[in-house]
């Protein structure tokens, strides 16, 4: 393996209980950009940082480009561009960046998510400028070299640019997925078995339903037909299907449908007045008058007084720590 800056080859501590999330170092305020500046993102650096274990990485610094440094760009074929100096196209750092991205991606075990800086020829995920060989024209059709290899290594992990986290539904969707992955890793640590996988699926049912009815049906079939299947390949198919389903953003309509389902489940236990109150709360949320936290809190209140084991274990009611407050914003 090539020798890279040790500081940037991160070996996450295995006993850290928070979900591990990689991040472009400039997004949390590190002065690692080509001009010695940063692109600090307040949500990532001030809010998310308190609830996940952020792993800051600057690929350009890690491969030995200093600060400040010559600016670099992608050139050539947008599917396989080269990473070169803007003023000197002979300064080609594609190979070293690819080797670094390979080495770093292999080190990132049990990663729950990654946030990358948009537009960067190293970190950008989509619509990164790729220039013609003479450097005079460009098309926004590229992906940064580090981002491409990271995504190839970690196909089901939520990997987003910071722009996707700039609105409430994008943030909620990302945070939701990283906590699902953390529960997945915990289950694997406890030992994967058909019963464990069935239980994992059961507690995530309503959550998946809110994001994708198609995904919900597919995963149900996968679990129903698991007898005699190899657990390793079944678990890989399951987690890939689950993460792909959760990528769809839930909306007021799909959340309201799930809330109605849960109300239907509870209806024999709650009083007429409680039913009327809950129904009104769901309708009010569906119309956009209240946030998701309003009907969810009412549901949780009723479930506390009318306990039901199946509902109490549903992740949908508490997918991540309340303290993040994201359900007050969607
Ligand atoms: S975008 Fe990536 S390579 Fe550029 S400064 Fe930020 S972390 Fe470093």
């Amino acid at each position: 393996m090539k020798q890279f800056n040790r500081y940037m080859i991160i070996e996450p501590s295995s006993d850290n209980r928070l979900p591990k999330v990689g991040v472009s170092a400039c997004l949390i305020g590190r002065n690692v950009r080509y001009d010695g500046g940063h692109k600090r993102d307040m949500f990532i650096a001030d809010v998310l940082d308190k609830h996940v274990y952020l792993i800051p990485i600057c690929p350009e610094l890690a491969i030995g480009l200093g600060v400040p440094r010559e600016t670099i760009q992608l050139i050539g074929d947008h599917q396989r561009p080269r990473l070169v100096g803007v003023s000197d196209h002979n300064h080609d750092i594609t190979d070293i960046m690819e080797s670094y991205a390979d080495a770093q991606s292999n080190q990132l075990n049990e990663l729950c998510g990654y946030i990358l800086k948009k537009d960067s020829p190293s970190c950008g995920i989509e619509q990164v400028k790729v220039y013609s060989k003479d450097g005079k024209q460009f098309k926004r059709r590229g992906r940064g070299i580090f981002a491409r290899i990271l995504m190839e290594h970690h196909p089901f992990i939520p990997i987003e640019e910071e722009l996707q986290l700039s609105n409430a539904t994008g943030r909620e969707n990302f945070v939701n997925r990283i906590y699902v992955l953390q529960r997945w890793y915990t289950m694997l640590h406890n030992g994967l078995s058909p019963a464990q996988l069935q239980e994992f699926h059961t507690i995530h049912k309503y959550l998946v339903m809110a994001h994708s009815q198609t995904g919900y049906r597919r995963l149900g079939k996968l679990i129903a037909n698991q007898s005699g299947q190899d657990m390793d390949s079944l678990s890989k198919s399951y987690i890939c299907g689950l993460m792909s389903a959760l990528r769809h953003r839930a909306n007021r309509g799909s959340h309201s449908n799930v809330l109605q389902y849960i109300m239907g489940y509870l209806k024999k236990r709650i009083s007429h007045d409680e039913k009327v109150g809950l129904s009104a709360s769901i309708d009010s949320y569906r119309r956009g008058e209240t946030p998701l936290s309003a009907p969810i809190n009412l549901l949780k209140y009723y479930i506390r007084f009318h306990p039901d084991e199946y509902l109490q274990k549903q992740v949908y009611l508490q997918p991540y720590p309340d303290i993040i407050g994201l359900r007050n914003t969607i």
Side-chain angles (χ1 to χ4, degrees):
M1 190 177 94
K2 285 190 171 59
Q3 289 303 303
F4 300 109
N5 180 346
R6 284 294 302 162
Y7 172 69
M8 291 292 162
I9 300 262
I10 311 284
E11 292 164 36
S13 148
S14 58
D15 55 22
N16 194 310
R17 302 285 162 90
L18 295 172
K20 297 180 185 98
V21 176
V23 62
S24 294
C26 56
L27 289 174
I28 58 161
R30 301 272 173 93
N31 292 317
V32 292
R33 297 193 83 218
Y34 69 95
D35 57 1
H38 60 76
K39 283 284 179 182
R40 192 173 191 278
D41 180 286
M42 281 168 58
F43 171 71
I44 300 168
D46 296 338
V47 181
L48 199 57
D49 183 44
K50 294 191 179 77
H51 305 288
V52 304
Y53 178 61
L54 285 178
I55 303 170
I57 296 167
C58 175
E60 291 175 19
L61 202 60
I63 63 169
L65 304 180
V67 177
R69 56 182 172 271
E70 177 196 7
T71 47
I72 54 178
Q73 63 185 187
L74 297 173
I75 64 163
D77 174 6
H78 75 274
Q79 286 184 321
R80 220 58 184 179
R82 306 296 299 177
L83 186 60
V84 300
V86 168
S87 58
D88 177 9
H89 281 189
N90 290 324
H91 182 207
D92 188 323
I93 52 170
T94 316
D95 294 345
I96 187 169
M97 182 60 88
E98 287 182 344
S99 301
Y100 169 72
D102 253 332
Q104 182 65 86
S105 298
N106 279 328
Q107 297 250 340
L108 291 166
N109 295 320
E110 301 197 347
L111 197 62
C112 294
Y114 210 114
I115 309 165
L116 288 160
K117 174 76 191 73
K118 75 182 185 77
D119 292 336
S120 158
S122 305
C123 292
I125 295 178
E126 54 189 18
Q127 297 183 4
V128 179
K129 289 178 185 171
V130 181
Y131 287 82
S132 54
K133 286 199 174 143
D134 62 11
K136 289 186 176 151
Q137 292 163 341
F138 68 82
K139 286 188 178 156
R140 281 193 166 272
R141 294 175 68 187
R143 171 168 290 170
I145 304 287
F146 179 78
R148 173 174 58 79
I149 291 172
L150 179 77
M151 293 173 91
E152 286 166 4
H153 274 264
H154 299 283
F156 60 78
I157 285 173
I159 300 179
E160 302 284 3
E161 293 181 339
E162 82 283 12
L163 190 66
Q164 296 300 318
L165 277 56
S166 63
N167 60 68
T169 44
R171 284 175 189 177
E172 202 275 340
N173 184 279
F174 181 75
V175 170
N176 186 27
R177 285 182 288 153
I178 64 181
Y179 276 89
V180 167
L181 264 185
Q182 194 197 30
R183 280 188 293 277
W184 177 255
Y185 296 137
T186 303
M187 182 199 68
L188 294 184
H189 275 299
N190 293 337
L192 179 64
S193 68
Q196 292 278 14
L197 187 58
Q198 172 76 59
E199 177 66 6
F200 189 87
H201 178 64
T202 300
I203 66 174
H204 287 87
K205 270 187 181 175
Y206 287 128
L207 189 69
V208 184
M209 204 189 272
H211 287 262
S212 165
Q213 286 285 344
T214 311
Y216 173 73
R217 283 191 290 275
R218 275 201 195 124
L219 291 167
K221 275 189 198 151
L222 198 63
I223 292 297
N225 299 327
Q226 65 169 307
S227 72
Q229 285 201 54
D230 171 65
M231 277 312 287
D232 259 8
S233 66
L234 178 65
S235 68
K236 276 185 194 124
S237 303
Y238 182 83
I239 192 62
C240 287
L242 177 63
M243 296 314 287
S244 154
L246 295 177
R247 206 155 190 269
H248 294 273
R249 293 190 183 184
N251 54 39
R252 283 184 185 263
S254 63
H255 275 303
S256 300
N257 292 343
V258 170
L259 292 166
Q260 292 282 0
Y261 245 90
I262 300 176
M263 190 174 96
Y265 200 91
L266 261 185
K267 76 176 175 208
K268 288 197 178 133
R269 298 172 186 228
I270 57 179
S271 69
H272 174 73
D273 284 353
E274 286 172 330
K275 247 181 273 175
V276 170
L278 191 50
S279 223
S281 177
I282 295 171
D283 286 345
S284 161
Y285 163 70
R286 193 194 292 269
R287 289 193 299 269
E289 295 160 4
T290 53
L292 181 59
S293 54
I296 291 274
N297 286 342
L298 195 54
L299 258 178
K300 287 204 283 199
Y301 178 79
Y302 289 155
I303 292 170
R304 200 177 313 138
F305 286 99
H306 309 281
D308 179 279
E309 199 192 334
Y310 179 73
L311 289 183
Q312 280 167 317
K313 64 186 180 186
Q314 283 302 316
V315 165
Y316 179 73
L317 295 171
Q318 186 76 62
Y320 41 76
D322 255 352
I323 196 167
I324 304 181
L326 291 172
R327 283 185 158 186
N328 298 328
T329 62
I330 59 169

